[in-house]
Amino acid sequence: MKKILVTGALGQIGSELVTKLRETYGKENVIGTDIRKKDDHNEVDGPFEIVDVTDYDRLFEVCKTYHVDTLMHLAALLSAKAEAIPKKAWELNMGGLVNALEVARELNLQFFTPSSIGAFGPNTPKDETPQDTIQRPTTMYGINKVAGELLCDYYYSRFGVDTRGVRFPGLISYVTPPGGGTTDYSVEIYYEAVKNKSYTSYIAEGTYMDMMYMPDALNAIIQLMEADVSKLEHRNAFNITSISVEPADFEKAIQKYIPTFKLSYDVDPVRQKIADSWPNRIDCSTARKEWDFKAEYDLDKMTKDMLEKLEAKLAIEG
Ligand code: VAH
């Protein structure tokens, strides 16, 4: 990877991935793109272009103009949002992906796009979910992710495009809040703990889901893309996770630093139904074996860092 273009660069993953890639590969070698510019966009941060991924010609033109060799495609609607507007989600999530894969094929680019634990469904084994297992998701987002995995493998086997992907768990970060996800409660709880010392969870007590701190997610992307291709038996997409937690686990972890923190529940049936269809904990042994995947942050280390960073961030924002 020498020159990288990222779609969805203003999203929860994209905003931090662009920063991390610029630190690693040089500011001028990472082009951020999204459907709009940031209000406080500053050219000194590095190249940025407005790209709607459903516009193939525009995506092709920007990749060609910047002579990129790698395309990281993140632009997509997340699970809860996709459930609300399924046809739009199909158009963006699948139309955008096909365009990105076609550009990668035409320009011979290395390619990354994330899948998700959302690619599994209610009849997938819920504990230690295997790398290779049944995938019958019951959400539009999950259908998009399974179809995406199959498409990326097809572009590898049929056209030789170097496609690689991971199945992300819920991602937790303090830089850019997620939007429209089912696991967003795991981010909101930290913001509310700092601001109000209380949070009302829309996910029910006892609902286990895989989660990961954003620094581990960013390292995983770079590690996979730099991995020795001869060791990859799989490509799209690798199971990776850090912790399997339920809302009460966050409550206990936060109370270690904010003893008066209180968690209550007001379950959202739509997002609860999505969460119930996903695994409790997935098995990551394949990613460990094929490219030495390892997460550094457990629940306590993440909680300590999240609360410290949010205290500072919210103090500045006022
Ligand atoms: C979502 N954060 O909630 C995303 C993710 C595993 C969850 O795909 O839709």
Side-chain angles (χ1 to χ4, degrees):
M1 292 196 294
K2 298 274 182 299
K3 196 108 185 221
I4 305 158
L5 183 135
V6 178
T7 70
L10 300 185
Q12 183 198 19
I13 303 173
S15 58
E16 294 197 59
L17 179 60
V18 166
T19 302
K20 175 82 176 176
L21 290 171
R22 285 175 172 161
E23 288 165 1
T24 311
Y25 298 97
K27 202 164 59 170
E28 290 313 306
N29 294 321
V30 182
I31 298 90
T33 73
D34 210 304
I35 199 158
R36 59 179 173 80
K37 272 201 171 162
K38 254 194 330 185
D39 303 341
D40 59 351
H41 174 71
N42 192 328
E43 292 301 334
V44 296
D45 295 335
F48 186 95
E49 297 287 348
I50 291 181
V51 172
D52 175 346
V53 293
T54 61
D55 178 348
Y56 172 83
D57 293 337
R58 174 65 180 155
L59 181 58
F60 181 88
E61 173 208 9
V62 174
C63 286
K64 193 160 176 63
T65 305
Y66 281 91
H67 305 290
V68 302
D69 60 21
T70 305
L71 176 48
M72 294 191 178
H73 177 57
L74 303 176
L77 289 182
L78 296 181
S79 57
K81 187 96 179 182
E83 252 349 76
I85 46 173
K87 184 171 179 297
K88 171 75 185 149
W90 177 269
E91 287 160 1
L92 172 56
N93 291 352
M94 301 317 298
L97 177 59
V98 169
N99 283 346
L101 283 165
E102 274 297 293
V103 168
R105 181 180 66 81
E106 291 270 359
L107 298 176
N108 190 27
L109 309 182
Q110 192 183 11
F111 187 86
F112 172 84
T113 199
S115 181
S116 159
I117 59 172
F120 297 118
N123 52 3
T124 301
K126 282 200 169 297
D127 297 302
E128 296 310 311
T129 305
Q131 174 67 42
D132 300 309
T133 186
I134 188 164
Q135 292 178 261
R136 301 282 296 179
T138 51
T139 64
M140 172 53 81
Y141 178 74
I143 292 163
N144 297 159
K145 288 305 181 185
V146 174
E149 290 184 11
L150 296 173
L151 261 181
C152 291
D153 275 351
Y154 175 79
Y155 270 75
Y156 168 65
S157 56
R158 177 79 169 64
F159 302 115
V161 179
D162 183 0
T163 59
R164 307 182 192 191
V166 294
R167 290 172 186 144
F168 273 136
L171 297 181
I172 295 166
S173 62
Y174 60 86
V175 176
T176 305
T182 298
T183 62
D184 297 0
Y185 91 89
S186 62
V187 177
E188 294 168 1
I189 194 167
Y190 286 107
Y191 277 82
E192 293 307 311
V194 171
K195 287 195 282 192
N196 303 312
K197 297 196 175 15
S198 67
Y199 177 66
T200 301
S201 171
Y202 58 78
I203 293 293
E205 187 168 9
T207 308
Y208 282 90
M209 286 189 273
D210 286 293
M211 301 280 179
M212 178 182 283
Y213 200 27
M214 187 61 79
D216 281 331
L218 303 179
N219 288 332
I221 293 172
I222 293 173
Q223 200 173 332
L224 172 59
M225 293 300 275
E226 297 283 10
D228 174 357
V229 69
S230 66
K231 292 210 181 106
L232 298 183
E233 294 166 39
H234 293 75
R235 282 182 170 268
N236 304 282
F238 287 90
N239 284 2
I240 62 168
T241 187
S242 166
I243 53 177
S244 166
V245 286
E246 59 120 325
D249 294 325
F250 286 107
E251 180 184 32
K252 285 194 255 338
I254 291 169
Q255 285 172 340
K256 195 174 155 192
Y257 301 93
I258 306 176
T260 57
F261 174 70
K262 277 274 166 283
L263 175 62
S264 57
Y265 296 88
D266 179 10
V267 175
D268 167 11
V270 172
R271 286 181 286 186
Q272 185 62 40
K273 186 165 180 265
I274 296 172
D276 288 342
S277 73
W278 291 353
N280 297 325
R281 178 168 185 94
I282 62 175
D283 169 69
C284 311
S285 55
T286 302
R288 279 197 297 272
K289 171 175 169 276
E290 297 185 21
W291 49 279
D292 303 321
F293 163 69
K294 187 176 180 307
E296 301 297 329
Y297 285 83
D298 61 13
L299 178 58
D300 184 58
K301 187 176 176 184
M302 172 178 69
T303 299
K304 183 174 185 297
D305 196 59
M306 272 293 281
L307 293 176
E308 284 172 0
K309 297 289 195 316
L310 284 173
E311 293 277 1
K313 173 179 175 179
L314 297 173
I316 293 167
E317 289 176 358

